[in-house]
Amino acid sequence: MKLETKLVHISEPDELTGAISTPIYQTSSYVQEAPDVNKGFAYTRTANPTRKVVEQAIADLEGGIAGFAFSSGLAATDCVLKLLKQGDEVIAVNDVYGGTYRILTTVYNKFGIISKFIDTTNLENVRNAINKKTRFIWLETPTNPTLKISDIEEIAKIAKQAGALLIVDNTFLSPALQQPISLGADIVVHSGTKYLSGHGDVLSGFVVVNDQNIADELKYLQNTSGGVLSPFDSWLTLRGIQTLYLRLEKHSENAKKIAEYLLTHPKVDKVYYPGLKYHHNHDIAAKQQKNFGGMVSFSLKEDTLEAAKRFLTRTKIFLLAENLGDVRSLGSHPATMTHKSTPIEVRKETGIQDSLIRLSVGIENIDDLLNDIKQALD
């Protein structure tokens, strides 16, 4: 099946009842025929029929052999990091999501895990950073929030030669626009809160793997740590995935037009959007992505926190919120919101200026969105 069809038919009719929509199995436990003899389900932390469907769905969409659903994107990240042991090292893209930076530098560092943050858009930086202790290379591409593009296929080759695992956070594009496993990634991570569910009503996270040994270990960790996705949120995510292709097409179409408009505005300094031909590594984005996504970031010539806040408090359609991937357009200020926990010197070094504004472009009418940006800037 083509992707559009596959997304609509992401779940099969329920075997028990024939229900077209996957039922919400809102139960904590299941009757057993005898001790440890059951129908494949004993306790919902370990497995749930509704969660099982969404886990298989995301695995199929990403081209992996197994998927795991969690209560948030950071719960998914945390589970993957539990694969590490004392003395292991992580190489991560330098403007990684603030929550990922925080968990690496304030939690896992206490257990003897060292993290290096580098500009992974330059392959030589990756080669120079790797050593025999490197266990993970952690990418976001595009990154949050400066939308840097890293070459997944080439970095996967470097990781393999070094005996490291390549993890790609695919939140910004989803499997509708990018499939890292097909490019050589070992593990894909998602905040399903964003584009997968797509309607601002779910908190979820996903991990997809392409190796049975890693899948077995993650399944053990998921059950042991317990941060699993609820049956109802599993169902909501399944519902959202069915319109993923259509939504991402519209998100991408609107975002490109907004990025092109921002380039022409006299108050705007830098515009970050991989669909612009001057964007660093635009050619790589065009090669490994099906489209350029719905995220646009830009900075102002008046590079101050106050200037950014003035813009974000004047928009009418772009809602000021700490989220992205919603059908509604959202705006945020990374320096004081998503990357507030990132040290200021690290933040500025990676391009997260005081005036940097991140837009999650929704699926509204483009004229309304452009007019809203114009009135807020003017």
Side-chain angles (χ1 to χ4, degrees), residues 100-210:
T100 306
Y101 182 90
R102 183 173 61 241
I103 197 171
L104 285 169
T105 58
T106 68
V107 177
Y108 279 90
N109 64 319
K110 295 177 182 177
F111 305 122
I113 292 164
I114 298 169
S115 298
K116 300 176 182 176
F117 299 91
I118 64 169
D119 181 359
T120 56
T121 65
N122 185 326
L123 295 176
E124 205 56 37
N125 290 343
V126 181
R127 294 189 184 97
N128 292 336
I130 281 184
N131 61 52
K132 62 181 181 181
K133 293 183 178 180
T134 304
R135 179 83 191 282
F136 284 175
I137 299 177
W138 195 289
L139 298 182
E140 291 172 11
T141 181
T143 58
N144 182 5
T146 60
L147 302 169
K148 291 175 183 170
I149 301 296
S150 298
D151 192 326
I152 297 172
E153 192 167 20
E154 290 304 313
I155 294 175
K157 293 175 184 176
I158 296 170
K160 188 173 182 180
Q161 289 172 355
L165 296 177
L166 176 60
I167 294 93
V168 178
D169 186 328
N170 201 26
T171 297
F172 269 28
L173 294 178
S174 87
L177 298 187
Q178 180 173 265
Q179 296 175 319
I181 285 175
S182 69
L183 299 169
D186 299 289
I187 299 175
V188 175
V189 177
H190 282 277
S191 172
T193 309
K194 314 307 193 283
Y195 288 107
L196 287 176
S197 60
H199 293 78
D201 52 11
V202 176
L203 194 67
S204 66
F206 293 91
V207 177
V208 178
V209 299
N210 202 33

Side-chain angles (χ1 to χ4, degrees), residues 49 69 97 121 145 203 250 277 290 306 308 323 327 371:
Y97 166 56
T121 65
L203 194 67
K250 186 63 173 175
K277 290 187 177 180
K290 295 182 177 70
E306 291 71 25
N323 195 18
V327 290
N371 288 335

Side-chain angles (χ1 to χ4, degrees), residues 196-266:
L196 287 176
S197 60
H199 293 78
D201 52 11
V202 176
L203 194 67
S204 66
F206 293 91
V207 177
V208 178
V209 299
N210 202 33
D211 177 272
Q212 190 58 55
N213 290 331
I214 298 173
D216 292 343
E217 192 168 356
L218 281 174
K219 180 60 182 172
Y220 174 82
L221 289 168
Q222 181 195 41
N223 184 46
T224 302
S225 297
V228 296
L229 191 61
S230 73
F232 184 57
D233 286 337
S234 297
W235 179 84
L236 282 173
T237 304
L238 279 169
R239 186 187 64 167
I241 287 174
Q242 292 174 324
T243 59
L244 183 63
Y245 186 89
L246 293 174
R247 287 187 282 109
L248 262 298
E249 271 199 334
K250 186 63 173 175
H251 285 302
S252 299
E253 178 188 325
N254 282 351
K256 186 175 182 183
K257 290 177 180 176
I258 285 173
E260 290 170 344
Y261 169 74
L262 289 169
L263 283 174
T264 68
H265 200 284

